[in-house]
Amino acid sequence: MYIAQILEKLRKTYPHQHEFHQAVTELLHSLAPVLKNPIYQKHAILERLVEPDREIFFRVAWMDDAGKIQVNRGCRIEFNAAIGPYKGGLRFHPSVNESIIKFLGFEQIFKNALTTLNMGGAKGGSDFDPKGKSDAEIMRFCQAFMDELYRHIGALTDVPAGDIGVGAREIGYLFGRYKKLVNRFDGVLTGKGLDWGGSLVRKEATGYGCVYFAQEMLGARKEDLAGKICSVSGSGNVAIYTIEKLHEVGAIPVTASDSKGMIYDSEGIDLSLLKEIKEVRGGRIEEYAQHKRNAQYTDVKDYKSGTNGVWSVPCFAAFPSATQNELSLADAHTLLNNGCKCVVEGANMPSSTKAAEVFLKAKICYGPGKAANAGGVAVSGLEMAQNASMHPWTFEVVDRKLRTIMKEIFENSAQTAQEFNDPTNLVLGSNIAGFRKVANAMIDQGY
């Protein structure tokens, strides 16, 4: 009844924020066992968690190369800082709206809590689309965006990072503007260039972390990835470095995709070719098939209704690494019918609610995003530590710390699931583990 009341009030208050409702609903229902402890209701923890500390919206006016003023909407939603400064990415994409940023920020609270590092949860972005824009236009947009954002962030207040549409180039422009505005050089953004405060392994972190998490899940069942066929969606940083690490551990990743379609290479994805196309040239995934005759390209318009073609490929492990709700109920059944034993979420909430329920019922190795893809924000936290000490760490040191963090996330989630008598349910385990850390901090602080 308590959870139902919270959700009903949320739906009435924010009737059109469907992604946010989905994220909150999934988390709250999994918290039912721990909410039997009356202390959380006494302190109104859920009521306070589902409302952000603050939502900051602003106009971003910038000039395009033709000298015309363009206007976009920007925002930063600071959700919770009970265990550390706000931390979460900035997303520049036409799909950005309040619902998506709130769902991402809400998830970030618990993901960050799982990392063992002291970071709160936040998210931000703009409906600006970097695709098709010149470097000069992107620079002017980033500068205009930071002109509004700078007064709300700081190394010990709120530390944004990159996300979809915000890579090293955008972080550089944002940081440069921030530094000029405040006349200070501090670690206010993560994902910075290696020559000016960035961390090694940051680009690889989410993908590597997903594979490390998969290894922990499988290892607990006396299985591994060596020699196994793996399907990966997406072709951004998460997907590329998931594929890279899968190759390193002896697995055979056979798919990659973008918004236009997917490629299937039965011999294993040619990583150097994929990087050349996506990282160097910024091309489309269909170009891969033009260079590899054995690879098959399928246009997105040829997917069966309500499905993603990537998940029709038989595999041992699936790594959804593109975007939210990319893996449907039909896809989940297809994966299981084709013998999939492991699903590891590289994207945020990539499995629909019904798909996740199918995986949990089947008791396969299912790594939910807030646990499995926490490697990116974990290394962002490690970048903050390096900035604070003004001492960079080697690739090996950061990678070793990342692997340790992912192992600790798995063990914490698995032990918590065991505590609540559902040992294969890492959704329950990770949600309760993250929630208890944040909720207890809120109670301790009179938050």
Side-chain angles (χ1 to χ4, degrees), residues 130-372:
K131 289 184 178 178
K133 306 293 193 302
S134 69
D135 283 351
E137 287 176 322
I138 290 171
M139 180 182 70
R140 289 192 291 271
F141 172 82
C142 288
Q143 291 172 341
F145 185 90
M146 186 54 74
D147 285 345
E148 297 298 326
L149 182 65
Y150 83 95
R151 55 179 60 86
H152 305 290
I153 62 176
L156 298 176
T157 306
D158 183 349
V159 184
D163 194 83
I164 294 172
V166 180
R169 173 183 56 181
E170 289 77 14
I171 291 293
Y173 294 148
L174 290 165
F175 184 79
R177 189 64 158 195
Y178 174 84
K179 185 161 61 73
K180 287 185 177 180
L181 289 167
V182 302
N183 192 29
R184 190 170 62 245
F185 194 113
D186 58 35
V188 72
L189 288 159
T190 57
K192 300 185 290 297
L194 293 176
D195 291 334
W196 42 279
S199 175
L200 291 163
V201 193
R202 179 60 190 90
K203 181 168 62 174
E204 298 88 349
T206 306
Y208 280 20
C210 281
V211 178
Y212 293 151
F213 195 87
Q215 288 179 305
E216 295 297 331
M217 284 197 298
L218 291 167
R221 300 190 185 192
K222 311 300 182 187
E223 296 190 79
D224 61 39
L225 288 165
K228 304 295 198 311
I229 300 296
C230 298
S231 290
V232 181
S233 66
S235 52
N237 273 352
V238 179
I240 286 173
Y241 291 99
T242 295
I243 290 170
E244 180 170 282
K245 184 55 68 172
L246 285 170
H247 277 302
E248 288 182 13
V249 302
I252 309 169
V254 296
T255 63
S257 65
D258 61 17
S259 60
K260 298 295 185 181
M262 61 159 287
I263 50 107
Y264 166 60
D265 188 340
S266 61
E267 296 179 355
I269 296 295
D270 183 329
L271 185 65
S272 60
L273 175 58
L274 181 63
K275 286 184 175 181
E276 171 67 25
I277 293 169
K278 301 302 292 187
E279 293 187 335
V280 179
R281 300 206 303 271
R284 308 302 308 192
I285 203 71
E286 63 184 312
E287 296 177 32
Y288 185 99
Q290 297 168 8
H291 294 273
K292 293 290 292 291
R293 293 183 179 180
N294 61 297
Q296 301 172 23
Y297 174 73
T298 303
D299 195 281
V300 68
K301 67 177 182 293
D302 295 322
Y303 294 172
K304 292 181 181 179
S305 178
T307 66
N308 183 332
V310 172
W311 314 125
S312 66
V313 176
C315 64
F316 172 82
F319 292 81
S321 306
T323 191
Q324 66 266 12
N325 291 319
E326 62 172 285
L327 200 159
S328 68
L329 175 62
D331 292 326
H333 284 303
T334 298
L335 282 168
L336 294 181
N337 290 338
N338 284 337
C340 181
K341 303 296 184 185
C342 180
V343 175
V344 191
E345 295 185 340
N348 292 304
M349 204 169 68
S351 303
S352 70
T353 301
K354 291 184 181 295
E357 290 171 354
V358 167
F359 296 144
L360 291 172
K361 184 177 180 180
K363 297 188 183 300
I364 64 169
C365 288
Y366 175 45
K370 66 170 57 67

Side-chain angles (χ1 to χ4, degrees), residues 53-54 76-89 105 108-113 115 117-123 152-161 187-190 377 380-381 384-385 388 438 445 447:
D53 289 346
R54 62 191 60 84
R76 185 67 174 172
I77 298 180
E78 297 174 333
F79 244 103
N80 188 285
I83 63 172
Y86 300 105
K87 187 81 188 77
Q108 201 77 45
I109 301 169
F110 311 103
K111 180 189 300 186
N112 292 359
T115 66
L117 305 175
N118 293 328
M119 299 181 292
K123 209 74 177 182
H152 305 290
I153 62 176
L156 298 176
T157 306
D158 183 349
V159 184
V188 72
L189 288 159
T190 57
V377 74
S380 282
M384 292 166 65
V438 174
Q445 298 168 21
Y447 198 82

